[in-house]
Amino acid sequence: MKELLRLERLSKRFGAVAAVNSVSLSVLDGEFLTILGPSGSGKTTILRMIAGFEQPTGGRILLDGEDILDTPVNRRPFNTVFQDYALFPHMSVFQNIGYGLKVRHLPRVEIRDRVEEALASVDLAGYAARYPDQLSGGQRQRVALARALILRPRILLLDEPLGALDLALRKRMQITLKEIQERVRITFIHVTHDQEEALSISDRIAIISLGDLQQVAEPKNVYFRPANMFVARFMGENNLIGGRLSARSGDLVRVQTPMGTLHSCSAGLGQADAEGRQVSLVVRPENIVLLSEEDSGAVNALEAEVVREVFIGSEDKLIVRPRGCPGMEIMVKIHSDTAVGARSGQRVRIGWRAENCWLIPEAEAACP
Amino acid sequence: MSGTAEPSRRAGGSRLEMYLLFLPTSLWLILFIAIPTVMFFIYSFWTVKDEFLVKGFSLLNYLRFFTTGVYPELLGRTLVLALEVSGITFAMGYPLALFISRKSGRAKSILYMLVVIPLLTSYIVRIYAMRLILGSNGLINNLLIILGLIREPLPFLLFNRFAIFLTLSVILAPFMVMPIFTSLEKIPRSYIEASRDLGASDFETFWRIVFPLTLPGVIAGFMFIFILTLGDFLTPILVGGTQGMTFGKIIQMNYGIAYDWPFGSALSVILLILSLAIILIASRFGALREI
């Protein structure tokens, strides 16, 4: 896929506050890119600068290699789905969806045909005469989507469009959104604070925190291979174990921790990260297994004590405290079928494979 | 047992408290609004014969209104005046409200205060202020003389219908600006952004989105100015001279000069019905929500 849009050292200051800090990002033609970050991270400001609602205080925005900062909002080939949908309350669904065509002075017949087609594409045929206040949240959302897509924009910008919906509807709309994007093949830039949403619908995720871009990668990489401590923590439920590199040989490294020596693949480390460096070992709860007595050959095996077991549906969360580090809790996810019914205080052995962990060259308190 | 009894006792107590809370307001409304209204309604069916009040039911006052051409004609002329005043305050007030609502922070509150502050001074003072501006020794005439544009003061500025129109337009302007400003402020920024985003120019965004959404405020402004102009009698008395006659002034004259309270009351009832009709029409367009 070729590059469609490029943000070059894009910055935005509001008075003394830097909302966006020199963000450079390349958006590929036809991809579904999600800008993910906690509230106040600057993700919406980036979207608003692309749309043209905010003028950056530094940097450039290039579309097909051409700077578009001087192009006003109504001349940029982008359309936005707003967080509150921004449906015009005094216009019917038909008038809302046809608005962009009407201000382009297209013939009445063409407007009618295209609006009807757009309505059908979001399963709202027959709703043309309704007004926004007669629609449910999900229907409004689809009207907003149809209103933006009918203009066939080069990029569709989505500002937390699912934020106001309840959980079940949000899950359904995530799938709808993805299906629509795959059908129309328009580049989507989607802003959200919901990690799961970002992971499930994006081709790539750009994680942003306090105005700084943290990592841009495919969902799997953001999830299993966080670039830094912020991403590791933000992507939820990672186990982070602080330690010191003690030996490095090819793809394998040893990390000295209060729980003993742990083995890891060297993924995540730079060439310059040598022995003695403070690192944090990242292990996802689903990559940890309970070891039986026979599994004595496992590379990473820890004696631990169960703190509690939490049933969360398809999985059980087992919180254990490793021996040698009483202040630390490690989370293990096990399939409910194989749940052991562990009681608190029970001794277990946990372990994981060296290739299932990941190293971040940043210090984490070894034994909090 | 006590657990179920207590909440109901508490609810009973709060209901009594609620009535007590509304008592002063209710008394005030009954004493100064409801009773006088009922009284002039009753008065309007009485008559005056040889300077004596005849307390017997009669429709003579209403008959007199509808059969004497001058009264309906005067009402018509006053309605035209109200239309002119609301028209000019709309034409001047809408851009002003738009201008203020586009400012932000401090500038916005200061400008809005400047619109509202005149309402805090006495209505009579504001009419007198207009007299000082329009009079033959007033601001405008003196200024024009100093500039050498005229030699004699312009006579048509004061004591005629034009002076009533001008004075009412100035002193009632806040009642047009306020509801329009309120409805402008209620429009979420995202509507305007969405319109621009969908390709509309600034003008189209105003015409298709902003203006339609402020119509209730515009109608509320028209309603205020219509009702206030129809009932006003001080402005014609103070700046209208002999030729500036309005419906409000004729009511005042029946009470204060002719001592024909029953006929004055009948005219008031007609005015009241007209005003209620205007409010009813305005509320159909959602105007009352903007106040």
Side-chain angles (χ1 to χ4, degrees), chain B residues 216-228:
Chain B
V218 172
I219 290 163
F222 268 83
M223 177 189 79
F224 275 136
I225 289 178
F226 250 82
I227 291 170
L228 291 170

Side-chain angles (χ1 to χ4, degrees), chain B residues 69-263:
Chain B
V70 64
Y71 295 113
E73 193 200 317
L74 188 62
L75 181 60
R77 284 220 308 268
T78 312
L79 280 167
V80 170
L81 177 72
L83 198 63
E84 288 169 1
V85 173
S86 29
I88 191 84
T89 49
F90 165 70
M92 314 283 281
Y94 199 105
L96 180 63
L98 196 62
F99 175 75
I100 298 173
S101 80
R102 292 212 172 155
K103 294 279 167 194
S104 57
R106 240 180 123 72
K108 184 190 268 184
S109 15
I110 289 173
L111 286 170
Y112 188 63
M113 281 307 286
L114 285 176
V115 172
V116 177
I117 277 173
L119 296 181
L120 301 178
T121 65
S122 160
Y123 169 60
I124 301 177
V125 170
R126 276 181 287 147
I127 301 174
Y128 268 109
M130 283 305 289
R131 245 168 100 148
L132 290 178
I133 293 169
L134 299 176
S136 49
N137 245 327
L139 188 71
I140 293 176
N141 275 322
N142 275 336
L143 203 67
L144 291 177
I145 290 169
I146 289 168
L147 290 175
L149 294 172
I150 52 171
R151 273 184 212 157
E152 298 289 308
L154 298 174
F156 61 83
L157 287 179
L158 203 52
F159 301 125
N160 52 26
R161 193 181 171 282
F162 176 71
I164 299 175
F165 162 73
L166 211 59
T167 304
L168 284 175
S169 301
V170 171
I171 68 177
L172 296 183
F175 292 104
M176 183 61 89
V177 179
M178 285 192 298
I180 294 174
F181 178 77
T182 309
S183 51
L184 280 167
E185 287 294 285
K186 275 201 244 169
I187 300 175
R189 191 176 58 168
S190 63
Y191 290 0
I192 289 148
E193 287 178 348
S195 170
R196 300 274 289 135
D197 187 75
L198 293 166
S201 65
D202 278 333
F203 175 75
E204 275 170 316
T205 300
F206 174 78
W207 184 240
R208 294 181 191 278
I209 307 296
V210 178
F211 188 67
L213 290 175
T214 53
L215 269 181
V218 172
I219 290 163
F222 268 83
M223 177 189 79
F224 275 136
I225 289 178
F226 250 82
I227 291 170
L228 291 170
T229 302
L230 286 181
D232 183 69
F233 63 93
L234 275 172
T235 308
I237 287 174
L238 292 173
V239 302
T242 46
Q243 35 162 313
M245 182 62 80
T246 66
F247 199 67
K249 191 177 172 186
I250 208 80
I251 293 175
Q252 188 269 340
M253 283 169 74
N254 272 293
Y255 275 98
I257 296 170
Y259 288 105
D260 193 345
W261 286 29
F263 187 56

